[in-house]
Every structure is written in structure tokens, then in C-alpha cells.
Amino acid sequence: MSEGPLAPVWDVPPEESAARASAARRAAHVWRRASVSQRVAALRGVWEAVRAKREEGLAVVREETGKSRDEAEILEFGPASLLVRYFLANASRILDERPAWTPWFFLNKRAAVRRLPRGVIGVITPWNLPFLIPFGDSFCAMLAGNAVLLKPSEWTTRTALWLEKTVAATGLLPEGLLSVVPGRGGAGEGVVDASDLVLFTGSLATGRRVAQRAASQLKPAILELGGKHPMIVLADAPLERAAAAAVWGACANAGQLCVGVERVYVESSVHDAFVAKVRARLAALRTDGPNADIGRFIFPPQLDRVQKQLDDARSKGAEVIGGEVLDRAGLRMAPALVLGARMEMSVMTEETFGPVVPVMRVGRAEEAVALANSGPHGLGASVWSADLEKAERLSTLLEAGIVGINEPATHYALGSLPFGGVKSSGLGRRHGDEGLLALTQAQAVLEHEWPADAPDPWWFPYEARKTALLRRLLGLR
Ligand code: ADP
């Protein structure tokens, strides 16, 4: 395993990108004819192949990201497996044509809603989960009957190419149904132009550009743009679980998770006990070796970004425990606990995306809720309390697309839950019925059954007698 990052994969020649876009378009025309059950059968086989070859995939993921084998398997392939199981079992319920209501005097007609594929879905993904996000989005897009043009991060393109190769080798899908377009931002723009809907995960600035480009072509974009997960720990919280969750939630994937814990508000009476537990757990984390709990940063500038936040916190009076740079070239740092954090510090307001647990003491739960809601983000949030009713009540006040009650952030793995943010954290949802349906277009069907050759009474000619009858039927009097 290489110590530091591999060189990024840059753009392929424009002709090659265009050829991949055409292959996806051709495959979309073939695939849209497959029934939902045919798609389920083919994609089940595809997953079996990916799962069977996952050691190979794990090696590529690890080479590109420096994660431990355990972390790569649990965070990347584990949730993928659950998503596959959920969506294969529920595809037919969600996607099959379903009857729709008609008024009683349409008793000779049938109404239904069909779900047509959109065509080509552009999947544009970041570097933090190079298998899970591209796979999860592509799998759902293909299940909904679409082809996929996948533009992975330039820092984790090898994983996407491995996925493309492994899927293609099954021979179960039309050629080019999952086509990868490597490259930088310009390749992403090409993907927006060549697709019918964009599924984007990345930064707010890029997401905004993607949304604008898509909107100018009247294409929808579903955006997931990161978060600043506030964890609210109440005085009666189960402290052992809460402390363990703060550490895992903030440091899993070396803190590079958009739903990860990014700030903790703790009620004053349990602050010190909570901090002691968090500190002990952070101290126990392994930071080197193949089984390290804390891997390296994946994107090189990230190390300095996180260090800058820690410097800012120190300069404003916080106590930072840990957080040392362990290996600059290898992009590794020790996890950090920030005590005495305040909202003036960037570590409490800007996405950190590193193994940092900033803790702020608060007087009351309501104060924590107000602080949690005070910024532009709204992806993950959680409330910790032994009083589930109170925690549930507070959680309804959180401006977040995903909330946990004594739970940090495992929502993405559950296909039954819609995943996405509010405010600047995103637009639209992945997963859940609505997430899968968003990858389709509704086609409304109205079919006249009998008498086969008779016109309807509301057609020409208009007559007073017919109008009087229709007035009754239509509930106008
Ligand atoms: P991150 O730093 O989390 O990867 P970015 O928002 O920079 O977040 O990138 C997310 C994805 O968007 C990457 O695959 C990147 O190459 C791609 N990208 C960057 N610029 C553009 C753009 N203008 N249009 C489309 N995709 C882009």
C-alpha cells in the first residue's frame, strides 16, 4: 500500500468522453425496454459479481484512499450490500405501474401511473467514498431503467474504473450502461451536458455550478453538498454511547464523511464527564499501521485545511488536545479534541472533514438547537438523551434532512430512508421511495375501455341538457 496519495487521473481526450456518452445513450435505449423484474434479475447478478470480487475492489479503494481494510469494507461495501438488498426487494413495489384514482363516472376507463426511465443519469462524485457513492447512485439509476455516465473524483478514478470493468465483465447489462468519464471539472460539465438528470455529491461551490448548468438546460439536479452535523448531548444522555458515537462519528473515514459529527453541544452538568470519556476514547485510537483506526486524508489540501481550523480555534482561546501532524507527506494527523469551542471559531461553522471533535458547553437544550440551526448547513444532526420522547421532540426542531436519536449517522445504508439535506446542504433526496422515483419520469395513463366506439358526453356538441347532467356529475351543484 502506498503511503501518500497516488497522482490524480486527469482528463481523457474529448473524443473518448464523447464516445462514452454515446455508448451510454445507446445502452439507455436498449435498457429502457427491460421490465422491472428483468432489471432486478440482471442487477442481482451484477452485485453478486462485485461482491465476489470485492477483495480486488478493496485493494483499489485502499490504494487510492489509505483506509484500513476493515474501514473500507465496513464503510464502502457494507452499506452497498444493504442498499442492494433493500432496492432489489422493493423495486417492483416502487417502480411498477400502479392504478390511479378515477371519479365513479369514469367506470369505463382505467387510470394508472407509469414510471419511465429518464434516459442517462449523470453521476458526479467526490473522493471520500470512492466505491459506495458511485456504486450506490449508479445502482439505483440503473434499477430505475437508466444508463449512467459516471464522473468520479480525479483522486479516486481507479476505483470507478474497477467498478466499470467488473460490471461490464458480467455481460448482464447492455454494453456501456455504466460508463465512466474520467477527468477534472470540465469532464463533469460534459457529463451534465450529456445526461438527463444529474446526481451530484461534492462541495457547495461546485454543486451550485452544476445546478446552474443543469437548470440552463432544463435538467433536474439532485445535490448532496456536505454538512456540519451538530450532536446535542443532553444531561440525561447515555454518556458511554454518546462519547463513543462522537469519536466514531467525527473520526470514521478520517473524518471525511458528509454526515459525520462535526460539532458537539453538551449540557453543562455532563460536560466534564462526557469530555473525559471522549478524551479516553480518542487516546485509544490507532493512528498508524495497516489496521489504523484513523487513515490518511485522501485529498492532499485537506490536511492544511483542518490544521488551519485548529490554529484558528487555538488563537481564539480553545484548548486543542491532539491534532498533531503525524506525517505530512503521508497526509496523516492525530485526532483532535477541541475544548472550549465557540461559534466564532471556524471549526464550529465550516465543514471540517477531518478527525476533530469540537465540544461546546451549553446551558440548555433549546440553546443547542438554536446554535445547531444557526448556520447554512442542514444534512445530519443528532440528539442524545435517555428520554426518547424529549429527544424526538427536539429532533423535530432541527433543520436537517437526517436526524439521529441516540444514533450518529448510519442513515445512508438504509435504502428505506430518504437521504439528503436542507438549506445549503442540498436539493432533493437519494434513496427511499422518493429517491428512486426521482430517477424516473411519471407517465400518466388514461385508457378508455368501453364502449369502444362511443364518444364521451363532454365532447361536442355542447347542449344545455348534457351540461346540466355534467354539472351534477362534476359536483358543481
Ligand atoms: P470534493 O472536493 O468533495 O471532491 P468538488 O465539489 O470539488 O468536491 O468535486 C466533486 C465532483 O465534482 C468531482 O468529481 C469534481 O471533479 C467534479 N467537478 C468539479 N467541477 C465541476 C464542474 N464545474 N462541473 C461538474 N463537475 C465538477
Side-chain angles (χ1 to χ4, degrees):
M1 199 171 83
S2 120
E3 265 297 291
L6 301 177
V9 175
W10 290 143
D11 313 84
V12 294
E15 318 76 77
E16 202 176 319
S17 299
R20 288 171 189 231
S22 307
R25 183 61 63 186
R26 276 196 305 278
H29 286 306
V30 178
W31 188 235
R32 68 181 301 126
R33 289 160 192 272
S35 66
V36 174
S37 56
Q38 286 169 329
R39 287 181 230 152
V40 165
L43 287 166
R44 179 173 282 122
V46 166
W47 168 247
E48 282 312 318
V50 170
R51 191 170 64 149
K53 292 219 158 122
R54 77 181 175 287
E55 282 308 326
E56 213 180 88
L58 281 166
V60 184
V61 169
R62 294 187 62 202
E63 198 181 29
E64 287 197 308
T65 64
K67 300 180 200 199
S68 70
R69 192 194 172 288
D70 289 349
E71 184 156 77
E73 188 165 30
I74 291 168
L75 292 187
E76 305 256 13
F77 285 78
S81 176
L82 287 183
L83 285 175
V84 164
R85 268 158 54 190
Y86 176 78
F87 281 114
L88 289 180
N90 286 274
S92 171
R93 176 184 62 76
I94 300 169
L95 296 173
D96 279 348
E97 178 174 317
R98 59 180 166 73
W101 171 89
T102 54
W104 72 264
F105 55 92
F106 274 44
L107 75 172
N108 55 344
K109 300 179 194 293
R110 182 181 75 88
V113 182
R114 284 189 192 133
R115 290 289 164 178
L116 301 187
R118 286 187 178 265
V120 175
I121 305 287
V123 175
I124 302 178
T125 55
W127 37 258
N128 62 332
L129 292 164
F131 173 76
L132 178 61
I133 297 177
F135 175 81
D137 281 356
S138 302
F139 184 86
C140 288
M142 293 189 290
L143 190 60
N146 304 285
V148 172
L149 264 185
L150 168 61
K151 157 59 186 90
S153 163
E154 44 276 49
W155 293 95
T156 52
T157 299
R158 292 166 184 87
T159 304
L161 292 171
W162 173 80
L163 176 64
E164 180 188 50
K165 181 185 77 179
T166 308
V167 168
T170 63
L172 293 168
L173 302 176
E175 201 182 325
L177 194 71
L178 171 60
S179 289
V180 174
V181 180
R184 288 171 282 190
E189 290 177 359
V191 163
V192 174
D193 296 349
S195 53
D196 303 296
L197 175 145
V198 183
L199 270 178
F200 174 84
T201 307
S203 63
L204 173 59
T206 306
R208 188 174 273 135
R209 276 203 292 280
V210 166
Q212 283 168 346
R213 194 177 185 94
S216 73
Q217 300 172 50
L218 294 180
K219 294 173 181 175
I222 297 173
L223 312 170
E224 205 273 86
L225 307 174
K228 190 70 195 163
H229 184 140
M231 178 171 174
I232 299 177
V233 181
L234 304 184
D236 61 353
L239 279 197
E240 207 58 61
R241 180 170 168 82
V247 172
W248 183 76
C251 300
N253 217 36
Q256 304 161 110
L257 291 177
C258 48
V259 291
V261 172
E262 289 258 331
R263 47 187 169 141
V264 189
Y265 299 105
V266 189
E267 275 194 314
S268 209
S269 61
V270 289
H271 175 274
D272 294 354
F274 174 77
V275 162
K277 288 182 191 299
V278 169
R279 193 171 174 169
R281 285 182 178 272
L282 284 175
L285 295 179
R286 290 162 299 180
T287 53
D288 59 12
N291 296 322
D293 297 308
I294 309 282
R296 68 162 166 83
F297 287 110
I298 302 164
F299 180 53
Q302 202 57 27
L303 176 62
D304 285 337
R305 285 184 192 166
V306 175
Q307 288 294 320
K308 207 167 135 213
Q309 286 195 356
L310 296 182
D311 290 343
D312 172 72
R314 275 189 209 97
S315 75
K316 292 174 179 157
E319 183 190 355
V320 178
I321 301 165
E324 306 84 11
V325 174
L326 299 172
D327 172 3
R328 178 155 287 282
L331 302 176
R332 288 177 175 277
M333 68 171 262
L337 175 61
V338 180
L339 299 179
R342 295 197 321 274
M343 295 306 285
E344 303 84 75
M345 301 170 183
S346 57
V347 78
M348 291 299 278
T349 53
E350 291 169 18
E351 193 171 40
T352 303
F353 236 56
V356 177
V357 189
V359 182
M360 178 170 167
R361 189 192 285 269
V362 292
R364 290 169 48 242
E366 289 70 16
E367 186 191 340
V369 170
L371 292 172
N373 289 341
S374 62
H377 299 99
L379 185 58
S382 57
V383 183
W384 299 74
S385 168
D387 182 344
L388 295 183
E389 262 176 48
K390 182 170 65 175
E392 282 168 19
R393 211 169 44 244
L394 281 175
S395 72
T396 64
L397 303 176
L398 288 168
E399 293 167 2
I402 294 157
V403 293
I405 293 155
N406 298 332
E407 264 299 323
T410 317
H411 306 62
Y412 188 93
L414 306 186
S416 54
L417 293 178
F419 182 90
V422 302
K423 299 199 287 188
S424 297
S425 282
L427 214 54
R429 295 289 181 269
R430 286 168 168 68
H431 303 170
D433 291 10
E434 66 196 272
L436 194 60
L437 290 174
L439 305 174
T440 66
Q441 297 264 32
Q443 185 178 56
V445 184
L446 191 54
E447 185 172 75
H448 177 77
E449 293 176 329
W450 54 268
D453 205 19
D456 282 327
W458 45 87
W459 296 357
F460 298 136
Y462 300 138
E463 285 170 11
R465 211 169 45 85
K466 278 195 338 184
T467 303
L469 176 65
L470 285 168
R471 201 173 285 135
R472 277 224 163 78
L473 293 177
L474 294 169
L476 292 175
R477 89 166 189 210

